[in-house]
Amino acid sequence: MSLDFEPSFNSVPQTPVPSSPAAENSVSTRRDSTETGAAGTESGGESFAEVALRLGGASADEAKRTGAIDTADDQVEDLFAEQYKTVSSPVHRAVWDTTVDTDLFRAKAAHLDTDVAAVSMRSLKVVRDARDNGTLYDERGKISQNVFQSLAAAGYWGLLVGKEYGGSGASMRQFTRVITRMAMIDPTVAGLASVHGCIGAVDPLRSFGNEEQKQRFLPGLADGSRLSAFALTEPGAGSDLTALKTTAHLEGDHYIVNGEKLFITNATFGRTVGLVCKIDDRPSVLIAELPGEETENFHLNRYGLYALRHAENNGLVFKNFRVPATNLLRPPQGDGLTIAYHGLNLGRVSLCANAAGTMRMMLSEMLPWASFRQTYGQAIDRRELVQRRVGHMAGLIVAADALTNWCAGLLDQGYRGEMECIIAKIFGSEAQKEAAIELFMKTHGGRSFLQGHLFGDNVHDFLAPCIYEGEGEMLGMAFFKSLVKDHGKRYFEPIGRTLHELGVTEPSLANPSHLWALRDPMTRYAKWYTGKKLRSTHWVNEPSSTSMPASLQKHLRFAQTYLAASGIRISDAMRKYQLKLADRQCRMSALSAQIQDAITILVTAQAASDQVDEINRIAADAICRHLQRRIVGGHPTDADFRQMTRLGQRIADEGWHELDGSVAATILQSY
């Protein structure tokens, strides 16, 4: 959870550089970051984005800047074994391959680590007791130092640090489970674990640090004596990270840092930060230990911020600030942007896990209020509209759980998981926003805005995740870019280059010279297009009718059919808009959103089929119906309304085991 913005793409080009090799069939693990991976893009120069923008008529500066971001993306891709790269990811396969393993969209059973379980229990007790005793926050309304220290003693801050460095070595499945449970008590404490472990200094060090750096920093990050953040965003550099102005130059055995960072969560005196700066005009990352107080070389830029009010979020101002040269992280290929990109997926999944817990907290507050509040002599939990809200929030929760478990499992297996984790981030943040405004606030009415009410006190925190780790629609375009990249490399980039060599921006099929020049790339594309049209996608390892209810099987089939046809749908858009596709942001966003919803249906339906709780299955069916209508543009039927309201009534009458452990606050202004 951070206001440190994701380096997303400001446009999504269509004509990339030559494609990478096909995924290997042999099983291998993700490369250790100390190994040397492939160097840069295969062209050795221009990236996918730079080629497309240049051929499309963009300015040299825009093409170069966007190309730098795309190159960083390519370099992160090179850190992964072939079968775990984007072209081998479940989402990419579902859209482009003719044979797809349905089991790729089912979360594997999670391993139970007793050490992690013990840390989880101790940490949850610390925060629960502090909440109940009124000592969770200090006089400034921030998480108190006593709580930070008690969580350190419980092992909370070392969950993602390896056991050899004093941590628990939790998998992402285990970690996100802790995040969800912690968010049911306090979402800020849950989010700070993600800031510290996923996008703070922990992931850069464990992924890109040398052994000396790991030995020097990770034990302190594990025991909580040094909490961490990642200092990336600047006043003029958010999504456009090519605008970075913070610099560092080497003097003797230290780097001298000058510049300013903004919106850095968990950054205050005495913290350890991954500091992104330019060294010799190249983005780099230094591990910087902030002093315990202001000095002539460092001070905090404090400002009022409605979101994250229980956490530290400050600007950092460096003036001739000294950082040991031995603190420079050196990725096996790429530069500081490669490091920045690497931890983003962990943060995205953690955000979805946090949303799943936060929505549980909201629902736990809604139920007693709806039972207490009466209109015209009847409790509002007997009213259809309120029952629909309860049922819909249950659906949002089970879908967020499904995406979290699936994506965390992919990361544990070694997948890069960029597209999958973007889906989780966007769904989790948008679901939490909808739950807060449309379901939670509207049910509580005017009491929502009383001081001390869960909504009134936290509304900004409920909404802000829509821009954490990248604003949703911007991320949706990044998702689309990743999805079309390989297809564009294979079939559209050769056409674009040929036209560029001819000096033609709009080819004419009536022109014999155009047809002749394009004969080879057009033949290859026509062969692919015809084959994709004529051959239906074969889905293997599908669940049997005995293991999956008919209602969920129906959703599974819809998602499979929609995804299988999406390759043609996307390719048609690429052919229609050609090099102007980069400027069709609304069309890209719409296509991206529909595919994301189809993936969410596929994952949620499979996850629900593994559930024994009937309420979970009904909630999954309900949210899948909702997402399907969103894709096709339909309206809810009476049957849809009946299903949702009956679900809400059942939860109001019987409770729901997913809410176990939640404690509702006292009803304000009761009568």
Side-chain angles (χ1 to χ4, degrees):
M1 180 171 60
S2 174
L3 283 177
D4 207 358
F5 294 103
E6 132 113 40
S8 26
F9 294 87
N10 63 346
S11 58
V12 182
Q14 174 188 340
T15 51
V17 293
S19 60
S20 58
E24 299 170 350
N25 293 323
S26 60
V27 177
S28 68
T29 58
R30 183 173 133 186
R31 295 174 184 160
D32 187 275
S33 60
T34 57
E35 296 180 19
T36 301
T41 60
E42 293 182 28
S43 65
E46 295 175 313
S47 74
F48 165 58
E50 190 169 355
V51 170
L53 289 174
R54 180 173 57 78
L55 294 180
S59 69
D61 182 65
E62 180 183 358
K64 182 178 180 180
R65 285 174 176 267
T66 307
I69 300 296
D70 197 43
T71 295
D73 177 70
D74 288 336
Q75 290 162 344
V76 172
E77 192 85 356
D78 286 336
L79 297 174
F80 294 82
E82 290 297 333
Q83 68 270 28
Y84 297 128
K85 292 184 177 182
T86 298
V87 293
S88 300
S89 68
V91 172
H92 199 279
R93 290 178 176 179
V95 171
W96 299 111
D97 286 7
T98 54
T99 300
V100 184
D101 188 348
T102 310
D103 204 43
L104 287 170
F105 299 88
R106 183 190 295 272
K108 305 298 186 293
H111 169 69
L112 177 63
D113 187 297
T114 55
D115 291 340
V116 174
V119 169
S120 174
M121 291 181 62
R122 293 194 298 265
S123 301
L124 293 168
K125 185 177 187 304
V126 165
V127 179
R128 189 181 297 112
D129 289 349
R131 178 201 61 190
D132 295 344
N133 296 333
T135 58
L136 184 56
Y137 309 125
D138 62 19
E139 64 280 359
R140 297 186 302 135
K142 306 293 184 184
I143 303 296
S144 72
Q145 284 304 307
N146 285 339
V147 169
F148 276 117
Q149 292 167 5
S150 297
L151 285 170
Y156 184 65
W157 305 113
L159 280 166
L160 288 178
V161 178
K163 293 184 178 182
E164 65 272 32
Y165 302 108
S168 302
S171 67
M172 278 303 294
R173 281 289 299 275
Q174 296 161 352
F175 178 74
T176 53
R177 178 59 179 160
V178 178
I179 292 295
T180 296
R181 295 182 65 193
M182 184 63 79
M184 295 170 67
I185 307 171
D186 189 86
T188 300
V189 176
L192 289 178
S194 174
V195 172
H196 175 71
C198 299
I199 61 174
V202 171
D203 183 71
L205 277 163
R206 69 177 188 169
S207 300
F208 298 98
N210 59 41
E211 187 58 32
E212 185 276 330
Q213 291 169 331
K214 292 177 182 178
Q215 293 285 354
R216 184 153 48 97
F217 289 111
L218 286 178
L221 295 171
D223 66 23
S225 57
R226 300 290 298 196
L227 297 181
S228 71
F230 198 71
L232 180 64
T233 303
E234 297 183 1
S239 60
D240 180 9
L241 292 181
T242 62
L244 287 170
K245 293 183 178 179
T246 299
T247 61
H249 68 274
L250 189 62
E251 285 188 5
D253 57 359
H254 281 74
Y255 283 102
I256 310 302
V257 180
N258 286 278
E260 180 178 357
K261 297 294 178 178
L262 186 65
F263 297 137
I264 310 303
T265 304
N266 211 30
T268 188
F269 300 118
R271 300 285 162 89
T272 299
V273 301
L275 175 62
V276 183
C277 55
K278 283 191 173 182
I279 298 176
D280 297 328
D281 205 36
R282 183 180 178 89
S284 306
V285 174
L286 294 168
I287 301 299
E289 297 186 287
L290 303 182
E293 59 185 5
E294 290 199 355
T295 69
E296 62 179 338
N297 306 115
F298 170 78
H299 71 266
L300 296 179
N301 175 17
R302 297 188 184 275
Y303 37 75
L305 193 69
Y306 287 111
L308 298 168
R309 66 191 184 94
H310 296 309
E312 296 285 354
N313 187 285
N314 296 298
L316 310 176
V317 181
F318 302 96
K319 184 177 181 181
N320 296 326
F321 183 78
R322 297 172 65 84
V323 178
T326 53
N327 289 16
L328 175 66
L329 297 181
R330 300 180 183 276
Q333 67 273 333
D335 53 30
L337 295 186
T338 307
I339 299 172
Y341 262 67
H342 187 269
L344 288 171
N345 290 333
L346 282 69
R348 291 166 182 158
V349 179
S350 297
L351 190 150
C352 192
N354 196 312
T358 302
M359 289 189 291
R360 281 173 165 86
M361 183 168 61
M362 292 182 201
L363 186 52
S364 295
E365 293 271 314
M366 279 176 64
L367 293 173
W369 166 250
S371 175
F372 171 83
R373 176 61 167 164
Q374 292 190 359
T375 59
Y376 306 102
Q378 188 176 40
I380 62 173
D381 66 2
R382 302 298 96 185
R383 307 292 187 185
E384 275 197 344
L385 287 177
V386 173
Q387 292 169 349
R388 177 186 57 78
R389 291 171 186 169
V390 171
H392 187 54
M393 191 179 290
L396 295 175
I397 289 169
V398 298
D401 281 343
L403 288 172
T404 297
N405 293 332
W406 175 58
C407 290
L410 291 176
L411 296 179
D412 287 337
Q413 292 174 59
Y415 282 97
R416 181 183 180 188
E418 182 199 23
M419 290 189 293
E420 292 78 9
C421 295
I422 285 176
I423 294 173
K425 185 274 172 188
I426 294 176
F427 182 87
S429 60
E430 293 295 327
Q432 180 171 297
K433 178 187 71 174
E434 180 185 7
I437 301 297
E438 299 298 328
L439 311 178
F440 187 52
M441 181 197 74
K442 290 185 176 181
T443 300
H444 282 255
R447 285 170 174 77
S448 299
F449 299 98
L450 288 170
Q451 291 184 4
H453 193 280
L454 179 63
F455 178 85
D457 287 356
N458 298 280
V459 57
H460 299 96
D461 285 325
F462 294 154
L463 305 184
C466 293
I467 59 172
Y468 296 161
E469 320 306 333
E471 185 276 321
E473 286 191 306
M474 292 287 287
L475 270 185
M477 288 192 294
F479 171 92
F480 188 83
K481 189 270 323 179
S482 294
L483 188 61
V484 306
K485 190 170 184 176
D486 184 68
H487 185 68
K489 286 177 181 179
R490 294 178 184 274
Y491 303 109
F492 285 84
E493 186 267 344
I495 295 173
R497 286 191 181 276
T498 301
L499 294 175
H500 183 70
E501 291 169 0
L502 290 174
V504 174
T505 57
E506 295 187 13
S508 170
L509 297 182
N511 189 320
S513 63
H514 292 182
L515 285 174
W516 181 254
L518 294 171
R519 65 191 184 284
D520 290 337
M522 288 291 286
T523 299
R524 287 194 295 271
Y525 177 71
K527 182 178 180 181
W528 171 83
Y529 193 90
T530 303
K532 185 69 172 173
K533 276 279 193 180
L534 295 178
R535 291 196 302 270
S536 59
T537 299
H538 178 52
W539 292 81
V540 300
N541 290 328
E542 295 192 78
S544 65
S545 58
T546 57
S547 65
M548 176 176 275
S551 60
L552 296 177
Q553 282 226 348
K554 182 179 178 181
H555 297 311
L556 182 79
R557 298 284 180 266
F558 169 83
Q560 290 174 328
T561 302
Y562 186 86
L563 291 167
S566 291
I568 289 292
R569 193 177 294 112
I570 291 170
S571 195
D572 285 344
M574 296 172 74
R575 192 175 68 253
K576 177 179 179 180
Y577 297 112
Q578 300 181 43
L579 292 171
K580 297 299 181 182
L581 182 62
D583 298 322
R584 300 293 186 266
Q585 294 186 336
C586 295
R587 175 53 56 204
M588 289 188 294
S589 180
L591 287 169
S592 175
Q594 291 166 346
I595 293 170
Q596 291 175 54
D597 282 347
I599 293 293
T600 302
I601 292 171
L602 185 55
V603 172
T604 302
Q606 293 218 94
S609 71
D610 294 331
Q611 296 281 340
V612 295
D613 190 321
E614 187 181 16
I615 290 180
N616 288 60
R617 290 189 172 193
I618 297 172
D621 180 27
I623 193 64
C624 287
R625 289 190 188 193
H626 172 77
L627 294 173
Q628 184 172 333
R629 290 194 301 271
R630 198 157 73 177
I631 292 173
V632 301
H635 298 285
T637 64
D638 285 345
D640 292 329
F641 286 138
R642 281 195 300 271
Q643 183 216 37
M644 191 71 81
T645 56
R646 287 172 181 170
L647 171 62
Q649 181 179 348
R650 182 171 177 179
I651 292 174
D653 291 344
E654 302 175 11
W656 188 26
H657 80 93
E658 294 291 351
L659 306 182
D660 291 350
S662 293
V663 178
T666 302
I667 293 174
L668 301 178
Q669 298 293 326
S670 60
Y671 51 86

